[in-house]
Amino acid sequence: ADRAAKPPEGLVVPVGLGWDLDAVTGGMKTWAASPWVMAIHHGRYTVTNDAYNATPQSVAAALRTVAAMDGRSIAILSVMAELGRVCEAEHRAMGALAETLGFEALIVVGEDHGYALGAPDLVVNASDFDDAADPLHSIVQPGDVRLGKAARSAGLEPMAIKLIQYAR
């Protein structure tokens, strides 16, 4: 009864909603994150697989996270879908952010949507994921950190799997 009266920090909302504290903590013990959300794979180089979805906020957070890791930062990005009239401005802002954060390269798969406007010296365009393989192999060195980030509609998952396999 005392535990329900004073739940641990972070569990205040579920308990406040009337959820059983033991059920909540039991569920948290078995919870597993999606393999497509900021999953970090170490090998000859590090792959940060964040291919589940892409919004301006999530791309900015992923770019900042990768830039803070040891090694040169390389991003493989594709479209942030469903942005409407701010599409070009948001893609340009992410290109500029990658440049500000010191990324080595920004490989843009598919239509650019404005990344190159924000980082003209960083962007390498690739028509599809197979086309991105050559620039990736010529740029990436052991110890680098690669970020794979795109909207689900871009279908980045196969590329992320290949990057993880190559890193081993």
Side-chain angles (χ1 to χ4, degrees):
D2 185 39
R3 286 176 45 193
K6 190 174 182 181
E9 187 176 327
L11 295 178
V12 173
V13 171
V15 171
L17 292 172
W19 296 357
D20 178 70
L21 181 60
D22 290 328
V24 171
T25 56
M28 291 173 67
K29 289 177 186 174
T30 60
W31 178 81
S34 166
W36 305 106
V37 178
M38 290 305 286
I40 298 173
H41 305 270
H42 298 285
R44 290 178 294 153
Y45 52 82
T46 300
V47 176
T48 305
N49 178 6
D50 197 19
Y52 183 76
N53 202 357
T55 64
Q57 296 81 6
S58 69
V59 172
L63 290 171
R64 287 186 179 100
T65 299
V66 167
M69 297 169 79
D70 291 335
R72 298 181 323 150
S73 302
I74 298 162
I76 301 120
L77 303 178
S78 193
V79 64
M80 293 183 285
E82 303 167 358
L83 293 178
R85 63 181 180 198
V86 299
C87 182
E88 184 179 296
E90 293 294 350
H91 284 84
R92 181 176 53 240
M94 294 305 105
L97 179 60
E99 187 169 68
T100 299
L101 293 171
F103 272 69
E104 184 72 22
L106 178 56
I107 298 172
V108 176
V109 179
E111 190 175 343
D112 184 285
H113 294 284
Y115 288 118
L117 294 172
D121 296 331
L122 289 185
V123 170
V124 176
N125 290 103
S127 60
D128 58 30
F129 299 121
D130 291 330
D131 190 34
D134 286 337
L136 271 171
H137 292 302
S138 67
I139 294 169
V140 175
Q141 300 172 5
D144 286 350
V145 180
R146 295 184 187 185
L147 166 66
K149 182 83 172 146
R152 285 303 295 266
S153 62
L156 186 64
E157 292 91 343
M159 177 103 178
I161 291 169
K162 286 182 183 178
L163 291 174
I164 293 163
Q165 290 170 343
Y166 293 150
R168 293 184 179 146

